[in-house]
Amino acid sequence: MKEGVTLADPQRLDIRGTLTCGKDVFIDANVTVIGEVTLHDGVSIGPNTVLDHCTLGKGTEVFSHSVIEHSTAGEHCLIGPYARFRPGTELSDHVKVGNFVETKKAVVGPRSKINHLSYVGDSEIGAEVNVGAGTITCNYDGANKHLTVMGDGAFIGSNSALVAPVTIGKGATIGAGTTLTKDAPEGQLTVGRGKQVTVPGWQRPLKKH
């Protein structure tokens, strides 16, 4: 605190390693620090967060109930609430990873966004990529892990399943609800959905009394 850290409640900070902080750092209540943790100037940590062997860059904000394990974030990132970073997650500057997002071995380029309800593992994501809600990388085939690559400026529609190994080209758009099993070319829209069908005259079954 003498070095410029503000603690919401000094009695509710659990340090189980070494915490190194810059100036103007804020740490809310019930934060747990494990191993070597470095928080640069202006970092803000929300309540009930676990920081485990990680480094967070200048001005990064971590919102409540997030878990950051063996990972790094650049400057001015927004993380959580309820985000989980598994080992090998690396965020560049100005990245947003929002609520109920899990990452693992994900390298994310500057100004990219994974805002809600997604799993991104074994991935290389370029700059200014938008990953829509409910998107998952299908990186495990039952025996081996495979890589998903998303080029700069790619837009991934909501509820997409990216079946690795797969590459999404620069500026490509993946339509919502797509199951992507082949590479998507640069600058084009790729959609993979089952055909929508309406059955005339269909009646919903009724309960027998």
Side-chain angles (χ1 to χ4, degrees):
M1 294 173 71
K2 290 179 180 179
E3 295 175 357
V5 178
T6 298
L7 302 179
D9 185 346
Q11 301 303 315
R12 289 191 287 165
L13 172 63
D14 188 355
I15 299 178
R16 306 175 188 177
T18 301
L19 176 61
T20 303
C21 294
K23 295 181 179 179
D24 298 320
V25 169
F26 173 77
I27 301 176
D28 213 323
N30 297 324
V31 171
T32 301
V33 174
I34 301 170
E36 300 288 331
V37 173
T38 300
L39 308 178
H40 289 281
D41 294 352
V43 168
S44 176
I45 307 297
N48 304 300
T49 292
V50 177
L51 304 174
D52 182 353
H53 293 85
C54 61
T55 298
L56 304 180
K58 180 180 178 180
T60 285
E61 294 184 63
V62 180
F63 299 100
S64 68
H65 296 86
S66 295
V67 178
I68 302 177
E69 179 185 2
H70 291 269
S71 298
T72 62
E75 297 184 357
H76 302 288
C77 294
L78 299 176
I79 300 168
Y82 293 96
R84 183 188 179 194
F85 288 7
R86 290 166 58 193
T89 298
E90 300 177 15
L91 306 188
S92 298
D93 298 340
H94 299 279
V95 172
K96 293 178 67 178
V97 177
N99 45 287
F100 302 103
V101 174
E102 179 182 353
T103 63
K104 191 271 293 186
K105 286 188 180 179
V107 179
V108 185
R111 299 175 301 282
S112 288
K113 300 176 182 179
I114 314 169
N115 274 331
H116 355 261
L117 302 163
S118 294
Y119 168 68
V120 177
D122 296 288
S123 298
E124 296 177 359
I125 299 175
E128 299 182 326
V129 173
N130 189 93
V131 179
T135 295
I136 64 168
T137 56
C138 307
N139 57 316
Y140 183 51
D141 64 7
N144 300 295
K145 303 292 179 65
H146 300 280
L147 182 67
T148 298
V149 178
M150 306 180 204
D152 295 346
F155 183 95
I156 315 300
S158 297
N159 202 36
S160 293
L162 310 178
V163 183
V166 71
T167 297
I168 298 167
K170 182 178 180 180
T173 297
I174 307 302
T178 290
T179 298
L180 191 72
T181 58
K182 299 178 181 178
D183 292 352
E186 292 186 6
Q188 298 186 49
L189 170 64
T190 299
V191 182
R193 305 174 184 152
K195 184 178 180 181
Q196 180 170 312
V197 176
T198 299
V199 180
W202 180 83
Q203 296 293 319
R204 181 181 298 167
L206 300 175
K207 289 184 178 180
K208 295 181 180 180
H209 296 287

